[in-house]
Amino acid sequence: VQLQAYGGGLVQAGDSLRLSCAATGRAFSSYTVGWFRQAPEKEREFVAAISRSGDSTWYVDSLTGRSMTGRFTISRDNAKHTVYLQMTSLKPEDTAVYYCAAEGDTASLTTYASGYDYWGQGTLVTVSS
């Protein structure tokens, strides 16, 4: 599967933004999908994940315990081969390159980047104060 993330841009603090991750290739509904982000000079961190059917979602980073619940919402439309990340009440610290990733070997959701086999190229989100 090939992934392409888009929808990033420059927004002001408090704004909302929706990112999209479009997939091509093998049956999209057979992949769990996650969103990660990487800020300048920082490690890549987990944002959200969604199950193959979209019934289950997860927002808590297993490494740090940080939760994106409440401000970020992940969803998917398998008919459109697309996963979305709706972000609200954006803060300057949300500034990062956002990546989507897919994993097809297990139905379990994972917050570890190493658990994903396919990655999109990333889309930059910049939140000004």
Side-chain angles (χ1 to χ4, degrees):
V1 65
Q2 293 81 43
L3 305 173
Q4 182 172 358
Y6 59 95
L10 174 62
V11 298
Q12 295 186 334
D15 285 351
S16 298
L17 195 64
R18 188 177 79 163
L19 305 182
S20 299
C21 175
T24 58
R26 247 188 72 193
F28 180 61
S29 60
S30 65
Y31 292 90
T32 59
V33 177
W35 282 98
F36 291 77
R37 69 184 185 184
Q38 188 165 17
E41 300 182 358
K42 292 190 176 181
E43 296 291 322
R44 186 169 299 189
E45 61 181 9
F46 171 78
V47 174
I50 190 165
S51 63
R52 295 169 174 176
S53 65
D55 289 347
S56 297
T57 57
W58 191 253
Y59 299 94
V60 181
D61 190 327
S62 300
L63 287 176
T64 66
R66 177 186 49 80
S67 173
M68 307 304 288
T69 304
R71 292 197 302 123
F72 289 14
T73 303
I74 189 172
S75 62
R76 69 189 296 163
D77 185 335
N78 284 338
K80 295 183 178 180
H81 288 204
T82 303
V83 170
Y84 306 98
L85 184 69
Q86 178 69 49
M87 306 184 292
T88 62
S89 301
L90 283 164
K91 306 174 183 179
E93 50 264 43
D94 293 318
T95 295
V97 176
Y98 284 72
Y99 299 88
C100 58
E103 198 282 316
D105 293 333
T106 176
S108 300
L109 298 181
T110 179
T111 66
Y112 297 98
S114 60
Y116 292 86
D117 298 318
Y118 305 96
W119 290 81
Q121 85 290 357
T123 184
L124 176 62
V125 174
T126 303
V127 185
S128 64
S129 58

